[in-house]
Amino acid sequence: MPVGGTQQPETSLAMVAGEVSGDMLAARLMAGLRPQLPNLRFHGIGGPRMLEQGLVSEVPMETLTVRGLFEIIPRYREIKGIQNRLRDRLLAERPAAFIGADYPGFNLGLEEQLRAEGIPTVHFVSPQIWAWRGGRIKKIKRAVSHMLVIFPFEEAIYRAAGVPVTYIGHPLAEMIPLAPDVAAARESLGIARDARVVTIMPGSRMGELKYLAEPFVAAARLLAQRDPGLVFIAPMAGERQRAYYTEIVNKAGLADVPVRLVDGQSHAAIAAADAVLVASGTATLEVALFKKPMTIAYKVMEASWQIMRHMGYQPWIGLPNILAREFVVPEYLQHAATPLALADAVQRQLDDPAGSEALARRFTDMHHSLLRNSAEASADAVLRVIGRKK
């Protein structure tokens, strides 16, 4: 863009997101940066929302998506090769900064190599060092020039460790209204206003679907047997997820369970719900911000579970419980995540309107605590890192 008759020099920023949540967070940051740096080029790896903001992606984001400790082994060489090729390209091109959007297993290693060669690095979303693998803070200190955190309690952890940090609030708190419009959501999905609705969300990653689609749909079958009037909806992140979900359900003999699949529209599906059955992860925070009762489940490969279950520092795995510092919603992990246990938990929430109202009040307080102008705050931090703002 001409300024004073001259063209501003191009600023190049490299970014990597490996999952849907990171893609959303990074796109918000990109939107905040563009007004500040009009002649800005983004490249790296990202998903559809980052592509909409102008990212040139080296490979499809889905190429990086792996879940669990042992699940990565068959694909380690492939993913390591992608990391090495991207590192070599960025060392040759020398972007103003590298920004890793979550996905710490890939991004922290890349950031450490780039920072050692003088390229500033920003990591967007702290790994859950407060939940498990606290020793990672040493690697973060070597790898990260500046950490952007989305939960208020994380800031003190990094300040104590000597890592420059900015609390930016959680972008989802801005995207989701404080008072969701349930009637509008139901109308958009063609659901009657007086229906009782259960939304099932077994995850957007293939690993989540592999382990949770069957118990979630089997739980829906039990609930439908108890109350044939219940409406079940399941938002699907894309065609691959829909096809894999359908394959799993059919193989498990659950094709007759009346779960209606919807493409995308996850926020409408949550807003329309009376209760939600959800995979542990960012989606649990989305459900909390929509002020809905939920039952959280988590399952991985058994070998991964045997290691991970000894590495946790706190009793919670779901984000709403971690933020509340207590079990405000139930969690069912690994072998405990049976169809009967999940169905019973959802049933209790459906049958407890007073409890749902109390939970909504807790979640409203949580929403306020996370509400900031995250795009502006994160953009300002990046501008300071690259020397464009004091």
Side-chain angles (χ1 to χ4, degrees), residues 10-15 41-45 55-56 58 85-98 114 117-120:
E10 180 179 76
T11 300
S12 173
L13 290 175
M15 308 181 78
R41 181 170 71 93
F42 295 110
H43 60 106
I45 301 172
L55 179 84
V56 177
E58 305 286 331
R85 288 191 297 274
L86 183 58
R87 175 204 61 204
D88 293 344
R89 177 167 177 174
L90 296 181
L91 289 176
E93 293 185 358
R94 311 294 297 184
F98 174 85
L114 296 177
E117 296 295 328
I119 296 174

Side-chain angles (χ1 to χ4, degrees), residues 244-276:
Y244 191 42
Y245 167 95
T246 302
E247 177 186 343
I248 291 169
V249 168
N250 288 343
K251 283 183 178 178
L254 296 165
D256 62 323
V257 181
V259 178
R260 176 184 155 204
L261 304 186
V262 296
D263 295 323
Q265 302 183 77
S266 60
H267 283 186
I270 297 169
D274 293 292
V276 182

